[in-house]
Amino acid sequence: MHRIVEKQVLTPVTKLLVVDAPLVARRCEPGQFVIVRVAEAGERIPLTIADFQRSAGTVTLVFQEVGYTTQVLGTKEEGDFILDVVGPLGVPAELLAEGRVACIGGGVGVAPVYPKAKALYQSGVEVVSIIGARSHDLLIMEDMMQAVSHQLHVCTDDGSSGYHGFVTAKLQQLLEAGEKFDEVIAVGPLLMMRAAAEVTRSRGIKTLVSLNSIMVDGTGMCGACRVTVGGKTQFCCVDGPMFDGHQVDFAEAVRRSLMYQEEEKTALLQCGCRGGSE
Amino acid sequence: MPTQPAAERVRNFQEVALGFDAGLAQQEAVRCIQCKKPVCIQGCPVNVKIPEFIQLIADGDFSGAARLIKETNNLPAICGRVCPQEEQCEKYCVLGKRFEPVAIGRLERFAADWELKEGVTPPARPERKPGKVAVVGAGPAGLTCAGDLARRGYEVTMFEALHAPGGVLIYGIPEFRLPKAIVQAEVEYVLSLGVQLVTNVIVGRTLTVEDLFQDGYDAVFLGTGAGLPKFMNIPGENLNGVYSANEWLTRTNLMKAYQFPSWDTPIKVGQRVAVVGGGNVAMDAVRCALRLGAAEATIVYRRSRQEMPARAEEVDHAEHEQVQFKFLCNPTRVLGNERGWVEGLECICMELGEPDASGRRRPVEVKGSEFVLDVDTVVMALGTSPNPIVAQTTPGLSAHRWGGLVVDGTGLTSKAGVWAGGDAVTGSATVILAMGAGKTAAEAMVKYLEEKYRTWNGGGGHRPTP
């Protein structure tokens, strides 16, 4: 059982929980994730470790309420418990030790970008961050990203704050203006990561994306999370979740992510919850 | 043994084989001729005192029989159900030469179930001995090793990666063959011997083997199993509706997807399901498919019926449940519709050629014999290999190229103080062989700990370092 020591409501549908998990906090690195099970009849869902505090033995989880399990998790308050938190899982991100990196986060994808931007910033890499959301009230972690970036660009789809347009359009604008990056890290919805990879492909800038496949165990024993990268099948939970965005078969990843669409709706309806946020 | 009628049981996940009642058990027990030199015992990897416990059943002392079995076997209700007795104890039964062998497995199950029903009294705790052991993996090998060490007085902590202990007993073997309440009861018995259980710890990620030694463990047993699924690497294998048997069974058994949406984990079952493979896991997967609501479920196997590694009893059960069998047939491609979902399995016919290294005749493709099976779900049950995480993260631990850990006859690995056993060493095998390996390693670990602490005077002196 893992106690929730802090809760922040980032937007009406995005919550931040600081969770007591000393064994996870002891070893985790940027890029890794945990599998969470909220209650006894619950399912196992993967959540990125957005931040960690080794001395306090806690990890920070940020999630958007997109379905039944995340909504249940969203109702948990400080002092409540999460049944299972297992990790750290996945391969830590291989981060550059010097140079200039663009860190791009779309929607709740800002959360997984944050620990990478923070580690890069602390090791002396120049960090240019581009974060975005559909509208200003859905934007998360702006202050946190500001603190670990040399430059921060905020984008909204509806123009309610910052740049009016997608984060990938902002990236393209910066590149066209002659800005140089040694690497791009892009995390967000699959379509956004694909668009980011397309922007950098012709310019030959290495682009890392973090894939959010369907997972069950998260330890490599089932292959539910398999993705095709460079023509080869990889398990996102043990070979990833970070991959070379130019090598990922995004069409397949999108198709596989929709596999349980109907069941996800059933789960919401049967349990009498309010509808999803989308 | 009485069973649930086939037509009824394919609609539920309740146990198929109902077990002996006291009358049937005693009737069967008196068939045992109580050999002076019982050869049945040599077929049992954990050396259960077979004639003695059968005599107790014949005498009506059922709890006594269960206690006697438990002197050497910590998990008898499980073994009585899932051991391939026809290749082990019952294979050696003298009666089997002219008649049916004594139904040792069913009798073991009867005694264990009797005790579970009556209430189990754990044995008295032995005197505490110096020495602390970490057991990695709470499957059959780990449970046996941990139980045996605790029974000898050692402090044992068992680390499990999943949220529930049992390994393949809990995520792999379905409820209708091995009820989870039975697994839970037997795991609780092992814990009652004094074993500590820590779930949600992945050794190699959450903690390393080095961390365990640093945290004060004197010895480590790796019973991490063979959880890595094999795929065929044919086109279309990543289409929606293609599962590994591990995913299919984990969703069904561990996560109880058959009770969706009361349980939250979904599973997608088509009208026609093909399961590729011929082992026990394939039989479990195909029989789950019917119970999950598939109209038709088919085994696709590249050799013929005789070569199938599955237990004859499981194949019979599957047949009675109307599972279809396509022998000498191998998939070449998974076909998908425009939305990326499975809509067929292209197969090629095979014929048997010369025997291969395993002694089984090698299947050879018949040119131009491709045909399409009309299915919408495909489950790959092609076997598994050891999970590489522990080997990759433990310096000095040698593994074979195919992933199995290298050990000597006692289970000792290439790393001092580290033993291993079960599927992590052999690749996917049986529950009872894993238990035998756990027992052998526990024996060797006891010697190691005794030697290590021989000069230690029980608290006054320095604790020896690993």
Side-chain angles (χ1 to χ4, degrees):
Chain A
M1 297 283 275
H2 300 263
R3 207 167 70 88
I4 297 169
V5 298
E6 187 189 334
K7 177 181 184 177
Q8 289 177 30
V9 177
L10 301 182
T11 80
V13 292
T14 318
K15 312 280 159 73
L16 178 153
L17 300 178
V18 178
V19 178
D20 191 39
L23 285 177
V24 181
R26 174 173 165 185
R27 283 216 162 257
C28 66
E29 295 292 341
Q32 293 189 294
F33 64 94
V34 290
I35 293 263
V36 168
R37 196 172 66 124
V38 182
E40 186 53 40
E43 61 180 339
R44 296 166 65 97
I45 60 162
L47 293 175
T48 304
I49 301 167
D51 204 359
F52 50 88
Q53 303 75 32
R54 288 207 209 286
S55 53
T58 59
V59 296
T60 302
L61 307 175
V62 175
F63 59 94
Q64 193 175 350
E65 294 175 6
V66 291
Y68 176 68
T69 297
T70 44
Q71 287 197 1
V72 172
L73 190 57
T75 64
K76 299 279 170 192
E77 301 296 339
E78 285 176 12
D80 288 349
F81 288 86
I82 301 175
L83 185 56
D84 298 296
V85 176
V86 56
L89 298 165
V91 181
E94 272 183 48
L95 298 172
L96 292 182
E98 53 182 19
R100 191 163 194 261
V101 174
C103 291
I104 306 170
V108 74
V110 179
V113 160
Y114 172 75
K116 291 147 204 163
K118 182 178 173 184
L120 287 165
Y121 185 84
Q122 285 173 350
S123 69
V125 172
E126 191 182 343
V127 176
V128 177
S129 296
I130 308 171
I131 62 171
R134 281 210 313 273
S135 60
H136 178 68
D137 59 333
L138 294 174
L139 191 71
I140 59 167
M141 302 170 76
E142 187 178 348
D143 295 346
M144 291 172 79
M145 285 300 290
Q146 183 78 63
V148 298
S149 307
H150 295 88
Q151 259 182 59
L152 177 70
H153 301 275
V154 169
C155 313
T156 49
D157 299 359
D158 65 358
S160 49
S161 86
Y163 174 79
H164 186 173
F166 293 152
V167 284
T168 48
K170 183 71 200 177
L171 171 67
Q172 178 141 17
Q173 193 192 53
L174 293 180
L175 289 168
E176 279 167 4
E179 297 223 24
K180 296 274 183 270
F181 300 110
D182 297 299
E183 195 165 277
V184 171
I185 295 172
V187 191
L190 285 164
L191 295 177
M192 172 242 143
M193 291 191 280
R194 174 161 72 180
E198 286 319 309
V199 169
T200 57
R201 189 190 297 275
S202 59
R203 295 175 170 88
I205 306 168
K206 186 167 182 196
T207 300
L208 293 172
V209 298
S210 183
L211 297 182
N212 47 350
S213 327
I214 290 174
M215 288 187 192
V216 184
D217 61 286
T219 63
M221 63 174 260
C222 86
C225 65
R226 58 197 193 276
V227 290
T228 302
V229 182
K232 281 189 5 210
T233 294
Q234 304 263 284
F235 288 6
C236 196
C237 70
V238 288
D239 301 314
M242 303 278 286
F243 293 103
D244 179 348
H246 297 149
Q247 302 285 321
V248 171
D249 182 341
F250 279 105
E252 179 186 279
V254 169
R255 170 165 59 66
R256 288 183 64 83
S257 74
L258 299 175
M259 201 158 148
Y260 296 98
Q261 226 173 2
E262 290 164 38
E263 287 75 10
E264 285 161 10
K265 278 187 203 137
T266 308
L268 268 177
L269 288 174
Q270 291 271 344
C271 301
C273 289
R274 61 202 155 92
S277 61
E278 294 298 316
Chain B
M1 181 160 51
T3 53
Q4 254 200 88
E8 207 172 284
R9 72 190 188 225
V10 291
R11 291 196 299 269
N12 66 54
F13 270 84
Q14 285 149 32
E15 194 167 19
V16 168
L18 302 172
F20 283 154
D21 59 22
L24 279 173
Q26 283 184 293
Q27 210 178 315
E28 181 64 20
V30 295
R31 289 185 61 231
C32 174
I33 57 171
Q34 296 291 322
C35 301
K36 284 274 175 315
K37 285 181 185 160
V39 280
C40 48
I41 297 179
Q42 79 189 46
C44 174
V46 295
N47 306 122
V48 168
K49 295 170 181 164
I50 293 167
E52 288 177 53
F53 95 73
I54 291 181
Q55 185 60 54
L56 287 170
I57 291 180
D59 297 344
D61 182 2
F62 306 141
S63 298
R67 279 198 300 275
L68 185 71
I69 296 168
K70 280 185 169 165
E71 284 180 17
T72 57
N73 183 351
N74 300 323
L75 311 167
I78 292 166
C79 289
R81 285 175 167 80
V82 303
C83 276
Q85 288 97 4
E86 66 277 10
E87 291 165 26
Q88 295 177 330
C89 52
E90 292 176 17
K91 179 178 167 182
Y92 294 91
C93 176
V94 172
L95 285 188
K97 287 190 183 132
R98 293 188 52 195
F99 314 100
E100 281 288 301
V102 174
I104 301 167
R106 292 169 183 189
L107 290 172
E108 180 180 37
R109 168 185 165 162
F110 167 77
D113 284 0
W114 180 274
E115 200 199 18
L116 286 177
K117 207 169 62 202
E118 300 290 304
V120 182
T121 6
R125 294 277 175 93
E127 192 194 334
R128 180 75 182 77
K129 296 212 188 70
K132 200 173 144 190
V133 177
V135 170
V136 182
L143 285 166
T144 302
C145 183
D148 279 16
L149 287 164
R151 203 195 281 278
R152 303 284 284 268
Y154 293 96
E155 186 182 338
V156 183
T157 307
M158 199 162 46
F159 294 95
E160 167 56 43
L162 288 172
H163 58 257
V168 75
L169 307 171
I170 202 92
Y171 76 75
I173 303 175
E175 184 81 24
F176 56 81
R177 224 155 56 78
L178 180 61
K180 300 310 147 211
I182 298 278
V183 177
Q184 206 181 335
E186 298 229 311
V187 169
E188 270 161 25
Y189 174 74
V190 170
L191 300 185
S192 78
L193 299 171
V195 175
Q196 292 288 318
L197 170 69
V198 187
T199 53
N200 292 325
V201 170
I202 299 164
V203 170
R205 289 261 189 267
T206 314
L207 293 168
T208 64
V209 171
E210 300 292 339
D211 289 338
L212 292 172
F213 283 119
Q214 260 173 28
D215 290 351
Y217 290 97
D218 299 291
V220 175
F221 175 78
L222 301 173
T224 45
L228 192 71
K230 287 181 187 154
F231 285 95
M232 296 189 78
N233 298 315
I234 55 175
E237 229 171 354
N238 290 351
L239 285 165
N240 290 6
V242 182
Y243 287 87
S244 74
N246 263 9
E247 181 185 354
W248 182 256
L249 292 172
T250 300
R251 283 183 183 271
T252 307
N253 301 321
L254 177 69
M255 307 310 296
K256 305 210 187 300
Y258 64 91
Q259 294 185 45
F260 180 85
S262 340
W263 286 64
D264 299 343
T265 303
I267 192 163
K268 203 85 184 178
V269 187
Q271 278 301 294
R272 282 176 291 269
V273 179
V275 175
V276 183
N280 287 321
V281 172
M283 295 307 134
D284 287 346
V286 82
R287 296 173 70 198
C288 280
L290 290 173
R291 286 161 173 80
L292 287 161
E296 232 175 82
T298 307
I299 285 283
V300 175
Y301 182 54
R302 64 196 182 124
R303 303 188 208 234
S304 67
R305 191 186 176 109
Q306 292 96 284
E307 288 85 19
M308 275 213 292
R311 287 186 77 185
E313 188 184 343
E314 303 307 324
V315 180
D316 287 349
H317 279 155
E319 258 183 338
H320 290 143
E321 291 166 11
Q322 309 298 320
V323 166
Q324 308 293 306
F325 289 82
K326 291 269 180 212
F327 293 114
L328 291 166
C329 172
N330 204 30
T332 47
R333 200 151 57 110
V334 189
L335 307 171
N337 63 18
E338 68 291 341
R339 288 167 39 250
W341 283 84
V342 174
E343 65 169 8
L345 185 64
E346 186 190 84
C347 300
I348 190 163
C349 296
M350 312 292 278
E351 55 190 15
L352 292 179
E354 294 302 306
D356 64 9
S358 73
R360 292 181 299 178
R361 294 176 64 195
R362 188 192 305 272
V364 186
E365 290 185 356
V366 178
K367 289 252 170 335
S369 66
E370 285 89 349
F371 67 99
V372 173
L373 265 183
D374 186 15
V375 296
D376 48 14
T377 305
V378 175
V379 181
M380 294 294 180
L382 311 158
T384 53
S385 53
N387 193 311
I389 293 180
V390 171
Q392 280 166 2
T393 54
T394 310
L397 191 67
S398 304
H400 295 286
R401 279 229 318 250
W402 50 270
L405 298 174
V406 177
V407 297
D408 72 4
T410 70
L412 181 65
T413 66
S414 55
K415 192 175 174 69
V418 180
W419 278 261
D423 288 3
V425 168
T426 57
S428 39
T430 62
V431 167
I432 188 72
L433 286 174
M435 289 177 56
K439 194 170 256 314
T440 306
E443 246 352 277
M445 291 167 93
V446 167
K447 286 209 187 81
Y448 174 81
L449 293 167
E450 278 174 353
E451 180 63 23
K452 187 172 169 182
Y453 284 96
R454 204 150 47 116
T455 52
W456 190 62
N457 62 10
H462 283 293
R463 191 186 165 87
T465 47

